[in-house]
Amino acid sequence: MLAILRAATFAATAHAGQTRRGLPDPYVNHPLRVAEHAAQADLGEDAVVAALLHDVVEDTAHTWDDLRVAGFTERAIALARLLTKWWESGDDDAEQDKATYYARILGDRDAVALKLLDRTDNMQDVVRIVPARRDFAEKYAKKTRREFPPLLERCDNTYVLQVFRERLTALEAALDRRR
């Protein structure tokens, strides 16, 4: 429990001043919600810590060494690292990098669940921006339907599968309502 509190504090400090793209919400709300889902899914302490830290290195100036120095377990850091993208969308090798990224995630049961929960929370936010950014929301839903079936097939956590499918259905319904 102490590790989860330390990770929540670390994430809140690291993401201080950041907001979700297209929304006024503090960014830290996202990893907090992902961590709440991870706890609801009974993923274990390291997975909940990873959920809290999963965007710290990707979206702040912190490094993996900073997480080690802060005392987080190697397992929590490894999970957060699996979820962290290292390439830019426009890179020449982006498609190969993306394939490697998903292959690595597929090799770890907890990483699969966390990636699905991360996307679940992202879809929740995308539903909120459909009126203002419909094109983005449509691309996001299409990308989700295209990229996530292997993760869904590999996931054996009924809670994770349920909340993911509920959010995808909600996103598709929001897009249908606003046609």
Side-chain angles (χ1 to χ4, degrees):
M1 178 67 143
L2 182 58
I4 293 170
L5 293 173
R6 284 188 311 101
T9 301
F10 194 95
T13 302
H15 293 296
Q18 295 178 339
T19 57
R20 288 290 273 173
R21 194 176 328 163
L23 295 168
D25 305 350
Y27 190 88
V28 73
N29 290 356
H30 166 64
L32 288 170
R33 290 187 305 253
V34 176
E36 180 182 5
H37 280 303
Q40 290 291 320
D42 291 324
L43 294 185
E45 185 174 78
D46 284 331
V48 174
V49 168
L52 289 161
L53 301 175
H54 80 273
D55 284 334
V56 167
V57 172
E58 187 174 332
D59 295 335
T60 76
H62 286 284
T63 66
W64 299 114
D65 284 337
D66 293 338
L67 299 182
R68 282 184 192 85
V69 169
F72 297 111
T73 67
E74 285 301 319
R75 173 67 178 150
I77 293 168
L79 283 169
R81 192 173 210 141
L82 284 170
L83 300 177
T84 299
K85 295 176 184 168
W86 64 86
W87 71 92
E88 297 295 324
S89 295
D91 288 353
D92 290 339
D93 297 328
E95 285 306 311
Q96 180 58 44
D97 288 341
K98 188 185 298 184
T100 300
Y101 171 74
Y102 282 115
R104 289 177 181 169
I105 289 171
L106 284 166
D108 188 291
R109 178 182 176 274
D110 287 337
V112 168
L114 288 171
K115 182 62 183 176
L116 290 168
L117 292 173
D118 180 35
R119 190 59 157 219
T120 295
D121 189 68
N122 289 340
M123 287 189 290
Q124 176 181 319
D125 284 345
V126 172
V127 166
R128 293 173 54 202
I129 65 169
V130 166
R133 299 194 56 205
R134 180 176 189 74
D135 288 348
F136 171 80
E138 287 175 346
K139 288 177 187 172
Y140 199 83
K142 182 178 180 181
K143 181 178 177 184
T144 300
R145 287 188 297 269
R146 183 180 66 244
E147 293 180 6
F148 280 75
L151 296 171
L152 292 166
E153 288 175 23
R154 182 69 52 97
C155 185
D156 61 358
N157 188 300
T158 55
Y159 174 84
V160 172
L161 293 170
Q162 177 186 339
V163 296
F164 181 92
R165 289 182 177 129
E166 286 172 359
R167 287 303 184 323
L168 182 55
T169 299
L171 175 55
E172 290 170 339
L175 288 166
D176 287 344
R177 269 195 310 275
R178 293 179 172 95
R179 283 197 194 272

